[in-house]
Amino acid sequence: MLTIISQMVALFILILVGYGAAKLKIIDGRFSQQLSVFVINISSPCLIVSSVMGDISPDKGLILPVLAIGCVTYAFFVAVAMLLSRIITRNKDMQGIYGFMLTFGNVGFIGYPIVASIFGKYAIFYASLLNIPFTLLAFSLGKKMIQGGTGGLKLDWKILVSPAMVACYLSTFIVVSDIKGVPDIVSIPITLLGNITVPAALLIIGTSMAQMDLRRILSGKLVWGISVLRLLALPAVIYYLTRLIGFSGDILGINTVLAAMPVGTYGAMFCLQYGKDETVMVQGILISTLLSILSIPLITQIL
């Protein structure tokens, strides 16, 4: 427990560095926006590919089972989110926002760094497989939750060839083909770029926090309750569900930790895209991120 707490505190210190740098005007919102694009399109995909270039190779026999448990996990999240959001409020717009907060965690920015710090870099490959149903749902159902209104789900098929998805395909090919000994001239640049992801993602969160009125953000009482569900209650159910299906060891742990991530930052982007008030979503992102410093070590105690 102390080891995990120390790792979380170390990650949070980087968030504080981003916060302090933004307050001191060393970096600003434009820096954060540009760095976000870099992380999503370059460093994070490199991190995924570099995860299969280490000394410990992922088990290719687990690829399909891991994809399957990822689908089951998000089917559970969607079902629970639909039910709870209708119980919490009758406001259709708020149902979508609360539903998004309960369903989609910050897997890309925070999930990969934490999984790597707890289970080792090779675990990022399994995390990227578990992230496939997340990506497909976030950009179809997730958008629809925020957008509201009538009409069916629409999936932008470009997401299937986004850099993160291509990195997942490539890393899967490397594992299935049992490719060893990638030349240093290829592996070293990819690894170095991938290593940028962790500090960059945390600096982005800190910079974003500096743009907010923290007193107003932290005042959302209902959001605190939803954050506890998102960080503790639902991941605990996912843990026992994953065990019931027959998984154990690192796969059980990785899926549970990813399920315990704070609210995903894509929610705020979708609110801005569709002209919705992003205040509650930003509250959820910030409050759940702060609480995750304590909740993730607690969740690891049941693994």
Side-chain angles (χ1 to χ4, degrees), residues 197-230:
T197 304
V198 177
L202 299 172
L203 288 174
I204 290 166
I205 294 171
T207 306
S208 300
M209 286 173 55
Q211 317 302 316
M212 305 172 187
D213 182 349
L214 295 185
R215 287 176 296 181
R216 182 187 176 196
I217 295 298
L218 296 175
S219 65
K221 294 180 181 179
L222 180 57
V223 177
W224 284 87
I226 291 175
S227 295
V228 172
L229 286 173
R230 161 82 251 177

Side-chain angles (χ1 to χ4, degrees), residues 12-262:
F12 187 67
I13 287 173
L14 292 183
I15 294 177
L16 292 179
V17 170
Y19 181 86
K23 285 296 185 182
L24 293 172
K25 308 299 183 182
I26 298 173
I27 55 179
D28 56 18
R30 186 167 179 266
F31 166 85
S32 178
Q33 183 180 21
Q34 292 177 329
L35 189 58
S36 296
V37 173
F38 178 84
V39 168
I40 292 171
N41 293 296
I42 298 179
S43 72
S44 185
C46 286
L47 182 66
I48 294 171
V49 174
S50 67
S51 70
V52 298
M53 294 181 176
D55 296 330
I56 302 176
S57 297
D59 184 351
K60 59 185 176 183
L62 288 175
I63 292 175
L64 291 179
V66 168
L67 276 173
I69 191 58
C71 292
V72 170
T73 297
Y74 281 99
F76 168 79
F77 271 133
V78 169
V80 171
M82 293 291 190
L83 175 62
L84 291 181
S85 62
R86 283 166 172 75
I87 294 174
I88 292 170
T89 180
R90 293 184 179 180
N91 184 300
K92 294 294 184 181
D93 284 345
M94 294 311 300
Q95 284 178 1
I97 288 174
Y98 292 141
F100 188 99
M101 289 166 61
L102 288 167
T103 305
F104 300 105
N106 199 349
V107 176
F109 276 155
I110 299 181
Y112 289 161
I114 290 177
V115 163
S117 66
I118 295 174
F119 301 99
K121 191 175 181 180
Y122 84 100
I124 295 172
F125 171 70
Y126 296 125
S128 69
L129 293 177
L130 292 167
N131 200 32
I132 289 177
F134 165 91
T135 302
L136 297 177
L137 283 173
F139 286 88
S140 54
L141 178 61
K143 276 190 172 183
K144 185 61 181 177
M145 285 176 170
I146 304 300
Q147 182 182 17
T150 58
L153 296 179
K154 294 182 180 180
L155 175 64
D156 184 356
W157 295 105
K158 291 180 181 178
I159 197 65
L160 296 177
V161 291
S162 65
M165 294 292 279
V166 171
C168 187
Y169 305 149
L170 180 58
S171 59
T172 300
F173 174 76
I174 292 173
V175 172
V176 171
S177 302
D178 201 24
I179 296 175
K180 305 290 185 183
V182 177
D184 288 348
I185 197 172
V186 175
S187 64
I188 290 177
I190 290 176
T191 301
L192 289 174
L193 284 170
N195 289 342
I196 296 173
T197 304
V198 177
L202 299 172
L203 288 174
I204 290 166
I205 294 171
T207 306
S208 300
M209 286 173 55
Q211 317 302 316
M212 305 172 187
D213 182 349
L214 295 185
R215 287 176 296 181
R216 182 187 176 196
I217 295 298
L218 296 175
S219 65
K221 294 180 181 179
L222 180 57
V223 177
W224 284 87
I226 291 175
S227 295
V228 172
L229 286 173
R230 161 82 251 177
L231 296 171
L232 292 173
L234 296 183
V237 176
I238 288 297
Y239 169 80
Y240 289 108
L241 178 62
T242 308
R243 280 189 61 183
L244 182 65
I245 293 174
F247 286 89
S248 60
D250 282 355
I251 301 302
L252 172 62
I254 293 166
N255 194 42
T256 303
V257 169
L258 289 180
M261 289 299 105

